[in-house]
Amino acid sequence: MSAPILQRITIDPITRLEGHGKIEIFLDAAGEVANVYFQIPELRGFEVFCLGRPAEEMPRITNRICGVCPEAHHMAAAKALDMLFHADPPPAGKKLRELFYSAFYVTDHTTHFYALGGPDFVVGPDAPKAERNILGVVAKVGLEAGMKVINTRKYNHEVIKIIGGRAIHPVAALPGGMSKAINEEERQFIEKVARDNVEFALWSLEVFDQIVLKNSAYVDLILSDGYTQRVYYMGLVDANNHVNFYDGMVRVVGPDGAEFVKYAPHEYTEHIAEHVEPYSYLKYPYLRRIGWKGFVDGPDSGMYCATPLSRLNAADGMATPRAQEAYEKFYATLGGKPVHHTLATHWARLIELLYAAERMLELATDPEITSPNVRTIPTETPTWGVGTVEAPRGTLTHHYETDERGILTKVNLIVGTTNNFAPITLSIKKAAQAVIHNGVVNDGILNMVEMAFRSYDPCFSCATHSLPGQMPLEVIVRDADGNIVDRRTQNIAR
Amino acid sequence: MKTLVIGLGNPLLADDGVGVYAARLLRRVLPPDAEVDVLELAVGGLELMEAMIGYRRVILLDALWSPDGEVGQVVHFHAGHLPDTMHSASAHDADLPTALRVGRRLGALLPADEDIHIVAVKAREVLTFSQTLTPAVAEAIPQVVRLVLDLLGCAPALDPYDVPFISIGGWDDLA
């Protein structure tokens, strides 16, 4: 019989505009962590909203699901429509999409590292909360760093606008390709931005090397047990098993690093199943062949992870030379493949930033990139289609089915963060186990849990919202009768 | 220098789109010579700060997630009160006050906190995909626009209460 539960600790990341999430930590009789429940609000009614609409609206509708990665939904939707309308884009259309997507990756990974993940390391995990933000990074690395971050965002947003047709919610990708090509003048601008991106990515890796890797305390933290879990890893790979964000096969490797399965995106239902917990409406995807074994790691648990770290683990290397060098250094430094340290995801993200920049430059200088032949006009009766890309936060899959008129009859999305619900829960549990002993809650719990969250760069609501602030957290410690005996908060307005 | 008005939110998420609809209504009723730019945006933090660069004054129109009893109320405050007023959070970016500090530190021309107004409608139904606003929130839209016109000190070309919602209600305004 399991030990009776003494206390319940609630960590409450309340958000006004992104809804209301909750973490509950249950202790056993000895005051040690027994279980962790992680709940977040889910947007309701997306499928119902879409059914009955023309399928070709999906690249514009789905890019409004998420204010953080509209470009990823735009691409996944367009790819699903290519298959649904049986219209394979011409090579220049695919290259233009990937060029667009590479510019998006540069902005997204840059923002995450400098505004969110980086502050924990660049400024330091023990620094006062008020300094652990992008301002703290600027103070530590210099004003020049801030200018580089802002300019990188600015110029890549301009590239996204040029190719995507609009700044925030792109419109250019259509079934069968793109609605418009780029001209030589635009290409030259994009090439210049790509060259600057490569320099910026190399500089960012140098910052990481100087500030994080040369500090043994930080390296020890990355390697610590509280941030280590041995799970399966998923990522898209090209024909050479190299990381690709836009296209390829889905490859999954085991905790030992060996290939477990490689499948085409439209076969996903054969390989991925979804587990439902009685306390939550969240669905936890897992590897069907292994099965759901609860929130535990190891080769017998079907839990898998889809993050920058996962993509590096799931591939045999990077398709561009400087990123490949960084990839080799990563594994040489962290003890070989695969790496199971979730905080190493920040480093993996910077390696992906370099790859995105190099790939962008390759595509911007491709002789075919200004070809006017960017679209295959659909002529066949629509049926069904699946489109998968690597969103910055994980493998993103759109699945649509229509009637013969192209009216949607089925819509299913597995968004990046959903893949990671189970490993995030396990990470929170491990972080809690590291700081809660004998019923005593260490002051570091909020920070530990936040750092565990942040390495995944999770998208809690996959929704477009506004006026973001710091993540508010609330820890409530309750005794056996439900009375509050301790309460810790940050960023909660009173 | 011009004032910038930004309608924030997602018109696919029911009441969350109220700021966007208000921006569209404002565009319809502004006199042609008004020194105002009107944008629809679905961003926060750094990108929102970047959109404000070069303006002397900015007015943000938004939904504010609130308890049931307050739905439809219109509130007005400025950016200096933002941290105390909102629980808003994004796991993907800096918060707006931090983004503004970064921009100023880097020498960007940004309005003072007192010149960044937030006019928000209290709303509840922001997690459901729908193009329909709850009645109390929809009714607040002309009131928001009147308040913005007062802030701008300009007389409308058309009374906001005379513009039917159907003419501003599309989820994607490609104009």
Side-chain angles (χ1 to χ4, degrees):
Chain A
M1 209 177 111
S2 61
I5 287 157
L6 278 183
Q7 292 181 317
R8 185 172 70 188
I9 300 161
T10 306
I11 299 176
D12 218 0
I14 302 160
T15 68
R16 271 234 146 153
L17 295 176
E18 285 203 316
H20 189 122
K22 187 183 275 188
I23 297 163
E24 291 198 86
I25 302 170
F26 290 86
L27 307 185
D28 63 17
E32 301 295 314
V33 173
N35 251 321
V36 168
Y37 293 157
F38 164 50
Q39 289 178 273
I40 56 169
E42 198 170 38
L43 298 174
R44 298 174 295 262
F46 183 69
E47 188 176 349
V48 172
F49 183 85
C50 296
L51 296 184
R53 290 174 188 267
E56 63 268 25
E57 284 192 2
M58 293 305 272
R60 290 194 300 130
I61 291 177
T62 57
N63 76 20
R64 290 194 183 255
I65 298 173
C66 176
V68 176
C69 51
E71 293 87 350
H73 284 293
H74 190 59
M75 285 293 109
K79 288 183 70 185
L81 292 183
D82 295 343
M83 184 177 166
L84 188 145
F85 285 101
H86 313 282
D88 193 36
K94 288 181 182 171
K95 286 175 183 172
L96 201 53
R97 283 186 188 171
E98 191 178 351
L99 178 60
F100 163 89
Y101 204 49
S102 301
F104 159 64
Y105 250 83
V106 170
T107 61
D108 198 281
H109 275 4
T110 296
T111 304
H112 185 275
F113 182 74
Y114 285 97
L116 290 158
D120 284 335
F121 287 104
V122 177
V123 185
D126 301 322
K129 173 77 185 161
E131 292 171 20
R132 274 187 291 119
N133 54 39
I134 187 171
L135 268 175
V137 174
V138 171
K140 179 114 180 210
V141 189
L143 213 54
E144 188 201 7
M147 294 302 286
K148 282 182 181 177
V149 172
I150 297 297
N151 283 333
T152 299
R153 287 171 49 83
K154 179 180 165 187
Y155 289 122
N156 286 284
H157 280 143
E158 192 58 36
V159 172
I160 288 167
K161 190 174 170 183
I162 288 170
I163 306 175
R166 198 161 62 173
I168 312 272
H169 297 116
V171 292
L174 300 171
M178 297 290 273
S179 61
K180 69 176 187 70
I182 55 168
N183 62 35
E184 174 58 20
E185 190 187 343
E186 290 166 332
R187 189 205 66 75
Q188 284 176 16
F189 171 76
I190 296 168
E191 181 186 341
K192 185 186 175 314
V193 173
R195 289 191 190 283
D196 290 346
N197 286 345
V198 173
E199 291 308 311
F200 175 75
L202 287 167
W203 178 79
S204 297
L205 278 162
E206 182 62 23
V207 167
F208 193 85
D209 190 66
Q210 291 296 321
I211 294 179
V212 181
L213 299 179
K214 290 205 168 27
N215 183 328
S216 60
Y218 290 177
V219 175
D220 289 347
L221 183 68
I222 291 172
L223 299 177
S224 64
D225 277 352
Y227 292 114
T228 301
Q229 51 197 30
R230 291 165 178 78
V231 297
Y232 287 79
Y233 299 100
M234 175 185 284
L236 274 183
V237 292
D238 67 15
N240 300 315
N241 282 338
H242 289 150
V243 170
N244 194 288
F245 300 142
Y246 171 71
D247 205 11
M249 300 279 278
V250 178
R251 192 185 197 208
V252 180
V253 300
D256 60 355
E259 180 176 301
F260 170 71
V261 67
K262 192 157 91 169
Y263 62 87
H266 68 269
E267 299 164 341
Y268 79 99
T269 53
E270 291 170 34
H271 301 282
I272 304 300
E274 290 180 317
H275 170 77
V276 179
E277 286 280 309
Y279 63 86
S280 173
Y281 39 71
L282 294 184
K283 289 174 180 164
Y284 298 88
Y286 64 93
L287 298 167
R288 193 182 285 281
R289 206 171 357 131
I290 308 253
W292 176 261
K293 306 288 162 58
F295 296 105
V296 290
D297 59 359
D300 299 329
S301 172
M303 182 186 293
Y304 69 90
C305 195
T307 61
L309 175 63
S310 307
R311 288 190 284 257
L312 266 52
N313 280 337
D316 291 342
M318 309 302 282
T320 57
R322 305 299 292 270
Q324 175 62 21
E325 283 173 30
Y327 180 92
E328 287 166 14
K329 180 179 174 180
F330 178 82
Y331 287 106
T333 307
L334 295 174
K337 280 184 77 178
V339 163
H340 297 295
H341 311 298
T342 51
L343 291 184
T345 307
H346 296 298
W347 189 3
R349 195 170 281 117
L350 290 180
I351 295 167
E352 288 196 337
L353 171 65
L354 178 55
Y355 164 69
E358 286 187 300
R359 183 73 185 129
M360 186 176 166
L361 182 56
E362 280 180 0
L363 289 161
T365 52
D366 187 302
E368 205 175 20
I369 200 71
T370 49
S371 162
N373 183 22
V374 292
R375 186 154 189 230
T376 303
I377 302 294
T379 55
E380 292 183 38
T381 306
T383 49
W384 67 285
V386 174
T388 293
V389 296
E390 283 297 329
R393 280 147 280 279
T395 313
L396 170 66
T397 298
H398 285 209
H399 175 178
Y400 313 142
E401 296 180 12
T402 67
D403 64 16
E404 72 287 354
R405 298 168 302 159
I407 300 298
L408 288 161
T409 55
K410 177 185 171 167
V411 172
N412 187 38
L413 269 54
I414 299 180
V415 301
T417 295
T418 302
N419 297 296
N420 299 319
F421 280 153
I424 288 172
T425 305
L426 184 59
S427 282
I428 295 166
K429 184 176 175 181
K430 292 210 173 197
Q433 282 170 334
V435 290
I436 300 174
H437 293 292
N438 303 318
V440 178
V441 184
N442 184 288
D443 279 337
I445 183 161
L446 290 168
N447 195 25
M448 283 286 284
V449 169
E450 252 200 300
M451 281 177 68
F453 269 54
R454 258 203 292 271
S455 69
Y456 292 92
D457 188 14
C459 200
F460 289 135
S461 58
C462 220
T464 300
H465 281 303
S466 43
L467 289 173
Q470 296 285 312
M471 178 190 285
L473 285 173
E474 185 174 24
V475 179
I476 297 172
V477 184
R478 293 174 193 274
D479 64 17
D481 300 322
N483 302 312
I484 296 172
V485 294
D486 194 2
R487 182 173 185 268
R488 295 152 203 252
T489 63
Q490 62 184 35
N491 304 319
I492 305 252
R494 291 190 191 89
Chain B
M1 283 169 86
K2 277 186 172 178
T3 295
L4 173 66
V5 178
I6 306 177
L8 288 168
N10 186 351
L12 293 191
L13 282 177
D15 292 344
D16 191 58
V18 66
V20 171
Y21 297 127
R24 286 182 197 164
L25 177 58
L26 177 69
R27 215 185 269 134
R28 289 285 300 277
V29 304
L30 273 177
D33 59 344
E35 289 281 289
V36 183
D37 287 334
V38 183
L39 288 182
E40 294 176 21
L41 285 181
V43 299
L46 292 173
E47 206 158 348
L48 185 54
M49 177 275 286
E50 287 157 2
M52 296 180 186
I53 292 174
Y55 288 92
R56 185 184 59 78
R57 184 169 62 164
V58 174
I59 302 171
L60 304 176
L61 313 179
D62 200 4
L64 197 59
W65 200 74
S66 305
D68 279 332
E70 301 170 15
V71 170
Q73 290 176 15
V74 177
V75 290
H76 171 211
F77 50 94
H78 64 68
H81 292 150
L82 204 53
D84 299 322
T85 315
M86 306 184 80
H87 286 175
S88 59
S90 165
H92 304 279
D93 203 335
D95 59 287
L96 183 59
T98 302
L100 289 168
R101 282 200 291 275
V102 169
R104 289 174 188 136
R105 181 83 181 84
L106 299 177
L109 198 65
L110 285 161
D113 279 352
E114 299 74 39
D115 291 321
I116 299 174
H117 297 260
I118 294 105
V119 180
V121 179
K122 294 193 175 181
R124 187 80 195 156
E125 198 62 43
V126 295
L127 293 172
T128 302
F129 282 96
S130 162
Q131 286 172 252
T132 310
L133 300 180
T134 51
V137 172
E139 281 165 23
I141 294 173
Q143 192 190 337
V144 169
V145 172
R146 280 253 176 100
L147 207 156
V148 174
L149 289 164
D150 285 348
L151 286 170
L152 294 170
C154 86
L158 199 64
D159 187 333
Y161 284 91
D162 289 343
V163 179
F165 179 77
I166 187 85
S167 69
I168 57 165
W171 63 266
D172 193 3
D173 185 7
L174 288 168

